[in-house]
Amino acid sequence: MTSDPNQFPEWYEGGNPNGSTLILLHGFTATWRQYKPLLPFLEPHHRVIIPTLPGHVGGLPLKKRASPVSISEAFAEQLKARGISDAHFVGCSLGGWMVFEMARFGLARSSLGLSPAGAWRNESDMVDFMRKGRASFKLLPYLIPLMKIAVGVPALRKLLLAGGSQHGDRMPAADAREHLDKLQRLTIIEEYMDENIKPMQPLPPDCKTPLRVTWGEFDKVLPFEKFGQPLLDLLGLDSYVVLPDCGHDPSYDNPEFVAKTILEFTREVDASLAK
């Protein structure tokens, strides 16, 4: 992991320096550590970069009100400052929304979303999602101390993480506690959970970036019919990849399959560009 406290507070970089660059973007409230289970499968093939996103604990502070757009813009500036303009992007949830924004900014060699946010069938679905989210987050200061103890028991860890993961017990207790600690210190929750949030805008017609969408078979956070199909329609895609036996965040549920899905796409794109 490289660390520049002035520019990239938490920025993991490793893997094959001769491979094409692959950037993994985490979801809202998470950190770069979300993708640790994928590293053994991805690093032999790619130069892998996993940042902690702006506004998140370990990421750069935001200069504007927290939103998917402001986070995307701030992150694009980070990439430009580091001279990165041609990378494969993979992201989950908010990170999934951002991979398509990176295509909009002309920075993406390819963009793959893992249950990406960004679209919804009805406005009421998003309003309900945000209201429930705000209510849950308000309880966290009281619950997190108890949760940090409970995650030490695999069965309880699976139960507590069931909203986002199908197999939360596969996440080590230390990683679960670290996530809870970061969540406890996150300051952008209230302004981010805005029920007036606007959906992703369609990509410009001249955008040639290869796009792909995947969805966890048992995603309880963003059910496919409400949030996935509208995203496919917005992006002009007619198919998606199902991640079997996975929840919203598939990294710990089935890292080998998720990595295989990513590598199939990046190899396909790299091969086409090499012709």
Side-chain angles (χ1 to χ4, degrees):
M1 174 181 168
T2 62
S3 180
D4 178 345
N6 297 314
Q7 192 171 21
F8 304 101
E10 289 200 12
W11 175 289
Y12 175 92
E13 184 167 345
N16 183 349
N18 297 316
S20 54
T21 300
L22 171 63
I23 299 179
L24 307 175
L25 302 181
H26 63 74
F28 180 60
T29 79
T31 71
W32 73 269
R33 295 167 182 81
Q34 176 178 2
Y35 291 110
K36 285 168 61 178
L38 302 186
L39 292 178
F41 305 104
L42 299 177
E43 289 195 324
H45 309 283
H46 288 285
R47 172 197 179 201
V48 177
I49 294 174
I50 321 178
T52 294
L53 294 176
H56 290 70
V57 179
L60 292 179
L62 287 168
K63 298 177 182 178
K64 299 180 181 178
R65 181 179 175 85
S67 70
V69 172
S70 67
I71 294 171
S72 297
E73 289 174 345
F75 181 62
E77 289 303 313
Q78 281 187 270
L79 292 178
K80 292 173 184 177
R82 198 175 173 100
I84 297 174
S85 60
D86 180 31
H88 298 288
F89 286 89
V90 173
C92 179
S93 198
L94 166 63
W97 184 331
M98 289 186 59
V99 304
F100 302 117
E101 296 299 329
M102 295 306 108
R104 186 191 311 280
F105 295 142
L107 301 174
R109 174 175 287 211
S110 72
S111 296
L112 185 152
L114 307 169
S115 292
W120 40 91
R121 187 170 298 284
N122 300 304
E123 192 71 25
S124 59
D125 291 334
M126 179 49 68
V127 170
D128 184 58
F129 175 85
M130 287 298 191
R131 288 178 178 173
K132 288 180 178 178
R134 286 202 305 271
S136 298
F137 283 125
K138 285 181 180 179
L139 295 174
L140 284 177
Y142 309 100
L143 297 178
I144 283 179
L146 296 174
M147 293 171 69
K148 286 182 178 179
I149 298 172
V151 294
V153 180
L156 292 177
R157 186 161 68 250
K158 181 175 183 177
L159 179 64
L160 289 170
L161 300 178
S165 298
Q166 186 70 4
H167 300 283
D169 52 320
R170 294 176 183 172
M171 177 186 289
D175 288 3
R177 291 191 183 100
E178 184 174 51
H179 172 69
L180 291 169
D181 178 65
K182 300 282 186 179
L183 180 57
Q184 194 171 22
R185 295 189 284 134
L186 186 63
T187 61
I188 64 170
I189 291 175
E190 185 173 349
E191 64 185 54
Y192 181 90
M193 300 296 290
D194 184 352
E195 62 190 57
N196 295 311
I197 187 174
K198 301 301 181 185
M200 183 192 308
Q201 296 301 301
L203 296 179
D206 60 350
C207 178
K208 304 301 182 184
T209 304
L211 311 176
R212 185 160 294 177
V213 168
T214 75
W215 221 270
E217 181 182 11
F218 300 114
D219 190 332
K220 302 180 186 71
V221 177
L222 298 178
F224 179 79
E225 286 305 315
K226 289 184 177 182
F227 297 95
Q229 187 59 54
L231 184 70
L232 294 183
D233 296 341
L234 184 147
L235 294 173
L237 301 176
D238 57 10
S239 64
Y240 70 105
V241 177
V242 176
L243 303 176
D245 201 27
C246 288
H248 182 63
D249 177 4
S251 296
Y252 284 94
D253 286 340
N254 193 345
E256 187 170 5
F257 185 85
V258 174
K260 176 176 177 289
T261 302
I262 293 169
L263 291 173
E264 286 177 349
F265 186 46
T266 58
R267 286 169 179 158
E268 176 185 315
V269 173
D270 284 344
S272 68
L273 293 174
K275 293 179 180 178

